[in-house]
Amino acid sequence: MKGKRRRRTTVGRGVPALALGLTLVAGLGVTATGTAAADDAAYAFRNPKLSVDRRVDDLLSRLTLDEKISLLHQYQPAIPRLGIRSFKTGTEALHGVAWLGETTVFPQAVGLASTWDPALVKQVGAAVGDEARGFQQERPAGWGLNLWAPVVNPLRDPRWGRNEEGYSEDPYLTSSMATAYGTGLTGGDPDHLKTAPTLKHFLGNNNEVDRTTTSSDLRPRVLKEYEEPAFRPSIEADAATGVMSSYNLVNGRPATVNPALDDLRTWTSHDLLNVTDAYAPNNLIGTGSQKYYGTLAEGNAATLKAGIDSFTTDDANSQPTTRAVTAAVSSGLLKESDVDAAAGHILNIRVRLGEFDPGGGKYGSIDKSVINSPAHQRLARKAAADAAVLLKNSGGALPLKASVSQDVAVVGPLADTLYTDWYSGTLPYAVTPAEGISAKLGTPVTSSEGVDRIALKNAQTGEYVTAGTDADGEALQESAASSGTAATQFDVFDWGAGIVTLRSAANGKYVGAKGSSFVNDQVQPGGWFVQQQFSLEEQADGTYLLRYAGYETREPWWSGPVYLGPTGDDGTLGLVTEAEAARYTKDVVRSGAEEAVAAVRDKDAAVVVVGSMPAINGRENHDREDMSLAPSQEALVKAVRAANPKTVVVVENSYPTTLGALQKEVPALLWTTHAGQETGNALADVLFGDVNPAGRLTQTWYKSEADLPSILEYDNIKHDRTYQYFKGDPLYAFGYGLSYSSFRYGKLKRFDDGYEVAVTNTGKRAGDEVVQLYTHQRVSRDKQPLKQLEAFQRVSLKPGQTKTLKLRLTTKDLAHWDVTRSKWVVETGTYDILVGASSEDIRSRTSLKARGETIPARNLSRVTRAENFDDYEGVRLVDESKVRGTSVGASADRAWLEFADAQLGSGVTMFSARMAGAAGKVEIRLGSPTGTLIGTATASGTGSVYTYETVNASLSAAAKGRQDVYLVLSKGQRLSTFSLR
């Protein structure tokens, strides 16, 4: 089966037709209502002693075409005549089971990866898998054992809105964490699945801006060396049971119909169940954003043939999908065998989940007692503590001493609250930083959020904006004559990029849009459209306009006004044009900075907790616009630091932050992601030294957005992205993190499968070190990473203890993708082997002389795919056809492609190319895009980007020897293949 897509017949293999007929007659045993006995032993698909394939084939043989088609939608209906219950793909389980009720909430995925501890991450995955099974006993709305997690898109750009969902900018670290988490979810037995995890999002998905219409250009080296390695190991290890296609296009083709979806089945001998992202099938057609196919039948047919098995669309309404697939079969766009293949993949997973086994199979007895169990609570606390990264610790500011630091103030907008993100479960309880520190000390701590409390007065009428006082709030009005009551006061939380939220002092609820008015009724900002966002825009006269900045105002369909002003006789606030907007004066009822300063003055220590609100300025459907800390938060830290030199700053967010000059001004700086229900206890454990911090950064922290190219540039190699290629000076390097201990590294020694190094804890307390092994190829035909992570190990050491670690590295690990021959290659040469505490903090090094091969000069006399260039300018990768293949499209005149080190021998005389699209000239030059012109081909233009013509040109006598060949294209041309003969 490995290497081929599985195609099924309607009769099970190895079952004689006569025997099958007898089974059907004897085994149906239908009642008067037509429902079969659910555990009838005559049904081979219910016999756990048979192979999975035999059981699937048996069940497929019993289904009608309509029934098989019904399985292809996310909401699969019951089939009563066979005793088959309904089934749903897609329970969210990124860092705990989401959207089904109270459950253990672990740190966000980027936090879990910051532990650099696959064994721990596997435990977390196992706990989440158990809780998914616990919910399964009662099958609540939204139920399903097909889990949509983990997210394995490597975090190449820290501005990506979904940074919190991924693991690392490094594909090896990403795949290590994904494999660990997935193994925990599956239970480790691919034939008997605890749950069925689905990797998100295949492929090239790292931007939210225009995410259904932008195309991610993945040239072969980026695809093979960066994108695929994040996905492949989990599938090869059977730690995932399929992938979800992404919204974007890849090389000009929607990812929903990317043929690589089917190709990845060759990575495992087990069946995969591939699903679309929500509503993505509808994007394909003429009424959608991509307009790739005319009808849903055409789109669905192409989607199935590309390797998708389940359509996630139209919520629970499966009829549009089933009608379209039925029409595609009727019209010949699909064969029944195509339906059988997809349905077979789905049923394979359902069999392996134990759905048709007595008692639900191996994991059927797990009940709801596991949900938020004491063991899972302890695991959540450990994960949150182990994920924390100590960024700075000067003068021994940390750890705090509980016996000395009895009088501690905990301030900041995140000091006494926990926020959840879009894919978070419901917190069963919440231990805030202030509560955790208070519990650690055994005494209450002084706390302040450090945010301004304001009142807004209409400069023209003198009336104040007023909120409701009951639990559900009321529509905001301009009615009060003074700011002396809580109803007129709002706490202003600054989240950066000009966005604030307003929490009513009257009832502690956040203000958000609701219909045509604004109501103070939300416990925290959230929802798919985060309607609790505002901007206070200061005017030249000192007044303010209050602008509504909810996410829907960023959508292309939003065309209404965005400013607030009274819209009725009762002064109710609604949306008006800028010209009609109310001008407000801002009365500061209470200064947050002054209150925080008063709280920390003369205290033994001040802990300032700043960071992000996960629904704002960086989440699904919204990329970050800058990477800095919110200005008022930075000002708060500076004010607290001035008032109390013993200031410790905790940054609680989901992504790298530039931090400005802040990291230079405070003695201690600790980073944590939003870490779930045990955040406060975990932070207290780290701050007071019960846990010695050993979290490490899984991304480069840059000093400025200027260090990054456009978020839409996917070529890490050309644009020097991630620690592998970044040549600048980072704020904090990939792999960075401090400890309360110090560690000494011995010399590297070679053993059969890698290198060993002795590591000694030279500090006075037990601690963990994360030992990281990197390689660097000194000389290569191709641009190589400055460093590349190849192995790592988190090791626990007592004071004075030494352990010798073995870090695996084989010659095969040194390979890169050779575009001249489309194969992996290890080049003969010298490789640096670097071991240390981060990508920049190298403690021990050696070199390896590898015996591989020398990449020969290009042979352009063979047909060469244009996408296999060495360098380029002014081109995009585009779809050669709607089904398969990549061409190169010129997006500007004089766009060029380089094919370096080509052997033209004693001379070539003819250039031949396969081209589509616009008419124009193709220049063949040597040495550079403006070098010696050896020929010009003229394309007449085909009128279609999918219709190709062959163009030829005679070449001059200069076309000989070993040369760098350049092809210079005209705008609108598409080049598929070429040769020089």
Side-chain angles (χ1 to χ4, degrees), residues 758-783:
V759 181
T760 303
N761 183 346
T762 56
K764 296 181 179 180
R765 62 174 66 223
D768 288 4
E769 174 70 328
V770 178
V771 180
Q772 304 160 41
L773 185 149
Y774 298 87
T775 62
H776 169 67
Q777 185 174 347
R778 292 185 185 176
V779 179
S780 173
R781 176 198 183 277
D782 301 307
K783 182 178 179 180

PDB file of all heavy atoms in Angstrom, residues 758-783:
ATOM      1  N   ALA A 758      29.651  16.145  27.489  1.00  0.00           N
ATOM      2  CA  ALA A 758      29.421  16.154  28.930  1.00  0.00           C
ATOM      3  C   ALA A 758      28.972  17.544  29.353  1.00  0.00           C
ATOM      4  O   ALA A 758      29.583  18.549  28.970  1.00  0.00           O
ATOM      5  CB  ALA A 758      30.690  15.751  29.670  1.00  0.00           C
ATOM      6  N   VAL A 759      27.891  17.606  30.127  1.00  0.00           N
ATOM      7  CA  VAL A 759      27.357  18.879  30.610  1.00  0.00           C
ATOM      8  C   VAL A 759      27.321  18.825  32.127  1.00  0.00           C
ATOM      9  O   VAL A 759      26.817  17.850  32.718  1.00  0.00           O
ATOM     10  CB  VAL A 759      25.950  19.146  30.052  1.00  0.00           C
ATOM     11  CG1 VAL A 759      25.418  20.482  30.555  1.00  0.00           C
ATOM     12  CG2 VAL A 759      25.970  19.127  28.524  1.00  0.00           C
ATOM     13  N   THR A 760      27.853  19.871  32.762  1.00  0.00           N
ATOM     14  CA  THR A 760      27.955  19.923  34.219  1.00  0.00           C
ATOM     15  C   THR A 760      27.184  21.119  34.752  1.00  0.00           C
ATOM     16  O   THR A 760      27.300  22.228  34.218  1.00  0.00           O
ATOM     17  CB  THR A 760      29.421  20.036  34.663  1.00  0.00           C
ATOM     18  OG1 THR A 760      30.159  18.931  34.125  1.00  0.00           O
ATOM     19  CG2 THR A 760      29.539  20.040  36.179  1.00  0.00           C
ATOM     20  N   ASN A 761      26.402  20.893  35.807  1.00  0.00           N
ATOM     21  CA  ASN A 761      25.735  21.986  36.506  1.00  0.00           C
ATOM     22  C   ASN A 761      26.739  22.597  37.470  1.00  0.00           C
ATOM     23  O   ASN A 761      27.113  21.978  38.472  1.00  0.00           O
ATOM     24  CB  ASN A 761      24.510  21.455  37.263  1.00  0.00           C
ATOM     25  CG  ASN A 761      23.729  22.549  37.967  1.00  0.00           C
ATOM     26  OD1 ASN A 761      24.207  23.671  38.124  1.00  0.00           O
ATOM     27  ND2 ASN A 761      22.520  22.229  38.402  1.00  0.00           N
ATOM     28  N   THR A 762      27.205  23.795  37.170  1.00  0.00           N
ATOM     29  CA  THR A 762      28.193  24.468  38.007  1.00  0.00           C
ATOM     30  C   THR A 762      27.541  25.448  38.971  1.00  0.00           C
ATOM     31  O   THR A 762      28.241  26.193  39.656  1.00  0.00           O
ATOM     32  CB  THR A 762      29.206  25.217  37.126  1.00  0.00           C
ATOM     33  OG1 THR A 762      28.507  26.125  36.272  1.00  0.00           O
ATOM     34  CG2 THR A 762      30.006  24.242  36.274  1.00  0.00           C
ATOM     35  N   GLY A 763      26.213  25.440  39.032  1.00  0.00           N
ATOM     36  CA  GLY A 763      25.499  26.326  39.936  1.00  0.00           C
ATOM     37  C   GLY A 763      25.228  25.701  41.281  1.00  0.00           C
ATOM     38  O   GLY A 763      25.678  24.586  41.581  1.00  0.00           O
ATOM     39  N   LYS A 764      24.452  26.409  42.093  1.00  0.00           N
ATOM     40  CA  LYS A 764      24.174  25.958  43.462  1.00  0.00           C
ATOM     41  C   LYS A 764      22.788  25.359  43.612  1.00  0.00           C
ATOM     42  O   LYS A 764      22.402  24.990  44.716  1.00  0.00           O
ATOM     43  CB  LYS A 764      24.332  27.136  44.429  1.00  0.00           C
ATOM     44  CG  LYS A 764      25.749  27.682  44.499  1.00  0.00           C
ATOM     45  CD  LYS A 764      25.862  28.828  45.494  1.00  0.00           C
ATOM     46  CE  LYS A 764      27.302  29.343  45.574  1.00  0.00           C
ATOM     47  NZ  LYS A 764      27.437  30.467  46.550  1.00  0.00           N
ATOM     48  N   ARG A 765      22.024  25.278  42.533  1.00  0.00           N
ATOM     49  CA  ARG A 765      20.700  24.685  42.619  1.00  0.00           C
ATOM     50  C   ARG A 765      20.468  23.767  41.423  1.00  0.00           C
ATOM     51  O   ARG A 765      21.078  23.937  40.365  1.00  0.00           O
ATOM     52  CB  ARG A 765      19.612  25.751  42.700  1.00  0.00           C
ATOM     53  CG  ARG A 765      19.515  26.669  41.513  1.00  0.00           C
ATOM     54  CD  ARG A 765      18.300  27.596  41.636  1.00  0.00           C
ATOM     55  NE  ARG A 765      18.435  28.524  42.737  1.00  0.00           N
ATOM     56  CZ  ARG A 765      17.459  28.825  43.599  1.00  0.00           C
ATOM     57  NH1 ARG A 765      16.271  28.257  43.462  1.00  0.00           N
ATOM     58  NH2 ARG A 765      17.638  29.701  44.564  1.00  0.00           N
ATOM     59  N   ALA A 766      19.594  22.806  41.634  1.00  0.00           N
ATOM     60  CA  ALA A 766      19.254  21.891  40.551  1.00  0.00           C
ATOM     61  C   ALA A 766      18.572  22.661  39.429  1.00  0.00           C
ATOM     62  O   ALA A 766      17.828  23.623  39.675  1.00  0.00           O
ATOM     63  CB  ALA A 766      18.348  20.780  41.072  1.00  0.00           C
ATOM     64  N   GLY A 767      18.824  22.222  38.219  1.00  0.00           N
ATOM     65  CA  GLY A 767      18.216  22.914  37.085  1.00  0.00           C
ATOM     66  C   GLY A 767      18.280  22.090  35.821  1.00  0.00           C
ATOM     67  O   GLY A 767      18.959  21.067  35.751  1.00  0.00           O
ATOM     68  N   ASP A 768      17.556  22.539  34.821  1.00  0.00           N
ATOM     69  CA  ASP A 768      17.543  21.893  33.511  1.00  0.00           C
ATOM     70  C   ASP A 768      18.322  22.748  32.518  1.00  0.00           C
ATOM     71  O   ASP A 768      18.224  23.984  32.543  1.00  0.00           O
ATOM     72  CB  ASP A 768      16.117  21.725  32.985  1.00  0.00           C
ATOM     73  CG  ASP A 768      15.338  20.660  33.737  1.00  0.00           C
ATOM     74  OD1 ASP A 768      15.877  20.106  34.722  1.00  0.00           O
ATOM     75  OD2 ASP A 768      14.185  20.396  33.357  1.00  0.00           O
ATOM     76  N   GLU A 769      19.059  22.085  31.674  1.00  0.00           N
ATOM     77  CA  GLU A 769      19.709  22.749  30.551  1.00  0.00           C
ATOM     78  C   GLU A 769      19.139  22.153  29.267  1.00  0.00           C
ATOM     79  O   GLU A 769      18.838  20.950  29.207  1.00  0.00           O
ATOM     80  CB  GLU A 769      21.226  22.537  30.604  1.00  0.00           C
ATOM     81  CG  GLU A 769      21.993  23.073  29.409  1.00  0.00           C
ATOM     82  CD  GLU A 769      22.056  24.593  29.323  1.00  0.00           C
ATOM     83  OE1 GLU A 769      21.095  25.243  29.762  1.00  0.00           O
ATOM     84  OE2 GLU A 769      23.053  25.116  28.812  1.00  0.00           O
ATOM     85  N   VAL A 770      18.971  22.983  28.257  1.00  0.00           N
ATOM     86  CA  VAL A 770      18.534  22.505  26.947  1.00  0.00           C
ATOM     87  C   VAL A 770      19.743  22.558  26.026  1.00  0.00           C
ATOM     88  O   VAL A 770      20.180  23.636  25.606  1.00  0.00           O
ATOM     89  CB  VAL A 770      17.376  23.341  26.385  1.00  0.00           C
ATOM     90  CG1 VAL A 770      16.995  22.839  24.998  1.00  0.00           C
ATOM     91  CG2 VAL A 770      16.171  23.271  27.320  1.00  0.00           C
ATOM     92  N   VAL A 771      20.280  21.404  25.750  1.00  0.00           N
ATOM     93  CA  VAL A 771      21.494  21.278  24.937  1.00  0.00           C
ATOM     94  C   VAL A 771      21.081  21.170  23.478  1.00  0.00           C
ATOM     95  O   VAL A 771      20.269  20.316  23.107  1.00  0.00           O
ATOM     96  CB  VAL A 771      22.311  20.052  25.381  1.00  0.00           C
ATOM     97  CG1 VAL A 771      23.571  19.922  24.533  1.00  0.00           C
ATOM     98  CG2 VAL A 771      22.665  20.166  26.864  1.00  0.00           C
ATOM     99  N   GLN A 772      21.637  22.037  22.651  1.00  0.00           N
ATOM    100  CA  GLN A 772      21.208  22.153  21.255  1.00  0.00           C
ATOM    101  C   GLN A 772      22.389  21.908  20.320  1.00  0.00           C
ATOM    102  O   GLN A 772      23.456  22.492  20.509  1.00  0.00           O
ATOM    103  CB  GLN A 772      20.615  23.540  21.003  1.00  0.00           C
ATOM    104  CG  GLN A 772      19.471  23.888  21.949  1.00  0.00           C
ATOM    105  CD  GLN A 772      19.198  25.371  22.052  1.00  0.00           C
ATOM    106  OE1 GLN A 772      19.228  26.094  21.048  1.00  0.00           O
ATOM    107  NE2 GLN A 772      18.933  25.853  23.262  1.00  0.00           N
ATOM    108  N   LEU A 773      22.163  21.071  19.310  1.00  0.00           N
ATOM    109  CA  LEU A 773      23.206  20.780  18.331  1.00  0.00           C
ATOM    110  C   LEU A 773      22.814  21.370  16.979  1.00  0.00           C
ATOM    111  O   LEU A 773      21.731  21.101  16.466  1.00  0.00           O
ATOM    112  CB  LEU A 773      23.430  19.270  18.204  1.00  0.00           C
ATOM    113  CG  LEU A 773      24.578  18.822  17.290  1.00  0.00           C
ATOM    114  CD1 LEU A 773      25.167  17.513  17.800  1.00  0.00           C
ATOM    115  CD2 LEU A 773      24.145  18.638  15.838  1.00  0.00           C
ATOM    116  N   TYR A 774      23.727  22.153  16.427  1.00  0.00           N
ATOM    117  CA  TYR A 774      23.531  22.790  15.131  1.00  0.00           C
ATOM    118  C   TYR A 774      24.636  22.358  14.175  1.00  0.00           C
ATOM    119  O   TYR A 774      25.737  21.977  14.597  1.00  0.00           O
ATOM    120  CB  TYR A 774      23.572  24.318  15.255  1.00  0.00           C
ATOM    121  CG  TYR A 774      22.494  24.897  16.135  1.00  0.00           C
ATOM    122  CD1 TYR A 774      22.674  25.012  17.517  1.00  0.00           C
ATOM    123  CD2 TYR A 774      21.290  25.342  15.594  1.00  0.00           C
ATOM    124  CE1 TYR A 774      21.684  25.550  18.330  1.00  0.00           C
ATOM    125  CE2 TYR A 774      20.295  25.883  16.398  1.00  0.00           C
ATOM    126  CZ  TYR A 774      20.499  25.982  17.762  1.00  0.00           C
ATOM    127  OH  TYR A 774      19.512  26.508  18.571  1.00  0.00           O
ATOM    128  N   THR A 775      24.338  22.448  12.893  1.00  0.00           N
ATOM    129  CA  THR A 775      25.357  22.203  11.872  1.00  0.00           C
ATOM    130  C   THR A 775      25.459  23.410  10.952  1.00  0.00           C
ATOM    131  O   THR A 775      24.524  24.213  10.844  1.00  0.00           O
ATOM    132  CB  THR A 775      25.038  20.952  11.035  1.00  0.00           C
ATOM    133  OG1 THR A 775      23.789  21.153  10.347  1.00  0.00           O
ATOM    134  CG2 THR A 775      24.968  19.719  11.905  1.00  0.00           C
ATOM    135  N   HIS A 776      26.608  23.504  10.301  1.00  0.00           N
ATOM    136  CA  HIS A 776      26.823  24.536   9.273  1.00  0.00           C
ATOM    137  C   HIS A 776      27.736  23.972   8.207  1.00  0.00           C
ATOM    138  O   HIS A 776      28.812  23.432   8.512  1.00  0.00           O
ATOM    139  CB  HIS A 776      27.447  25.792   9.859  1.00  0.00           C
ATOM    140  CG  HIS A 776      27.923  26.758   8.810  1.00  0.00           C
ATOM    141  ND1 HIS A 776      27.065  27.419   7.966  1.00  0.00           N
ATOM    142  CD2 HIS A 776      29.183  27.145   8.460  1.00  0.00           C
ATOM    143  CE1 HIS A 776      27.754  28.179   7.148  1.00  0.00           C
ATOM    144  NE2 HIS A 776      29.035  28.034   7.417  1.00  0.00           N
ATOM    145  N   GLN A 777      27.295  24.059   6.966  1.00  0.00           N
ATOM    146  CA  GLN A 777      28.099  23.580   5.845  1.00  0.00           C
ATOM    147  C   GLN A 777      28.977  24.718   5.350  1.00  0.00           C
ATOM    148  O   GLN A 777      28.480  25.777   4.947  1.00  0.00           O
ATOM    149  CB  GLN A 777      27.183  23.079   4.724  1.00  0.00           C
ATOM    150  CG  GLN A 777      27.912  22.458   3.561  1.00  0.00           C
ATOM    151  CD  GLN A 777      26.965  21.846   2.546  1.00  0.00           C
ATOM    152  OE1 GLN A 777      25.780  21.682   2.823  1.00  0.00           O
ATOM    153  NE2 GLN A 777      27.465  21.518   1.373  1.00  0.00           N
ATOM    154  N   ARG A 778      30.272  24.514   5.395  1.00  0.00           N
ATOM    155  CA  ARG A 778      31.195  25.612   5.096  1.00  0.00           C
ATOM    156  C   ARG A 778      31.178  26.029   3.639  1.00  0.00           C
ATOM    157  O   ARG A 778      31.186  27.219   3.319  1.00  0.00           O
ATOM    158  CB  ARG A 778      32.621  25.208   5.496  1.00  0.00           C
ATOM    159  CG  ARG A 778      32.827  25.077   6.988  1.00  0.00           C
ATOM    160  CD  ARG A 778      34.279  24.787   7.317  1.00  0.00           C
ATOM    161  NE  ARG A 778      34.485  24.542   8.738  1.00  0.00           N
ATOM    162  CZ  ARG A 778      35.651  24.201   9.265  1.00  0.00           C
ATOM    163  NH1 ARG A 778      36.728  24.062   8.480  1.00  0.00           N
ATOM    164  NH2 ARG A 778      35.753  23.990  10.569  1.00  0.00           N
ATOM    165  N   VAL A 779      31.207  25.054   2.739  1.00  0.00           N
ATOM    166  CA  VAL A 779      31.260  25.357   1.309  1.00  0.00           C
ATOM    167  C   VAL A 779      30.184  24.531   0.616  1.00  0.00           C
ATOM    168  O   VAL A 779      30.035  23.341   0.890  1.00  0.00           O
ATOM    169  CB  VAL A 779      32.641  25.045   0.713  1.00  0.00           C
ATOM    170  CG1 VAL A 779      32.657  25.337  -0.784  1.00  0.00           C
ATOM    171  CG2 VAL A 779      33.732  25.834   1.433  1.00  0.00           C
ATOM    172  N   SER A 780      29.456  25.164  -0.277  1.00  0.00           N
ATOM    173  CA  SER A 780      28.392  24.461  -0.995  1.00  0.00           C
ATOM    174  C   SER A 780      28.154  25.125  -2.332  1.00  0.00           C
ATOM    175  O   SER A 780      28.450  26.313  -2.523  1.00  0.00           O
ATOM    176  CB  SER A 780      27.101  24.467  -0.176  1.00  0.00           C
ATOM    177  OG  SER A 780      26.014  23.940  -0.915  1.00  0.00           O
ATOM    178  N   ARG A 781      27.619  24.371  -3.244  1.00  0.00           N
ATOM    179  CA  ARG A 781      27.162  24.959  -4.490  1.00  0.00           C
ATOM    180  C   ARG A 781      26.040  25.945  -4.227  1.00  0.00           C
ATOM    181  O   ARG A 781      25.889  26.944  -4.933  1.00  0.00           O
ATOM    182  CB  ARG A 781      26.647  23.869  -5.436  1.00  0.00           C
ATOM    183  CG  ARG A 781      26.065  24.435  -6.726  1.00  0.00           C
ATOM    184  CD  ARG A 781      25.190  23.418  -7.444  1.00  0.00           C
ATOM    185  NE  ARG A 781      24.713  23.977  -8.702  1.00  0.00           N
ATOM    186  CZ  ARG A 781      23.652  24.775  -8.806  1.00  0.00           C
ATOM    187  NH1 ARG A 781      22.957  25.114  -7.730  1.00  0.00           N
ATOM    188  NH2 ARG A 781      23.290  25.248  -9.998  1.00  0.00           N
ATOM    189  N   ASP A 782      25.223  25.694  -3.192  1.00  0.00           N
ATOM    190  CA  ASP A 782      24.005  26.461  -2.928  1.00  0.00           C
ATOM    191  C   ASP A 782      24.113  27.232  -1.619  1.00  0.00           C
ATOM    192  O   ASP A 782      24.879  26.872  -0.724  1.00  0.00           O
ATOM    193  CB  ASP A 782      22.807  25.504  -2.846  1.00  0.00           C
ATOM    194  CG  ASP A 782      22.623  24.704  -4.123  1.00  0.00           C
ATOM    195  OD1 ASP A 782      22.562  25.325  -5.196  1.00  0.00           O
ATOM    196  OD2 ASP A 782      22.556  23.456  -4.041  1.00  0.00           O
ATOM    197  N   LYS A 783      23.321  28.287  -1.504  1.00  0.00           N
ATOM    198  CA  LYS A 783      23.245  29.056  -0.265  1.00  0.00           C
ATOM    199  C   LYS A 783      22.754  28.146   0.858  1.00  0.00           C
ATOM    200  O   LYS A 783      21.732  27.489   0.730  1.00  0.00           O
ATOM    201  CB  LYS A 783      22.303  30.243  -0.447  1.00  0.00           C
ATOM    202  CG  LYS A 783      22.184  31.148   0.781  1.00  0.00           C
ATOM    203  CD  LYS A 783      21.276  32.332   0.488  1.00  0.00           C
ATOM    204  CE  LYS A 783      21.109  33.241   1.687  1.00  0.00           C
ATOM    205  NZ  LYS A 783      20.220  34.398   1.396  1.00  0.00           N
TER     206      LYS A 783
END
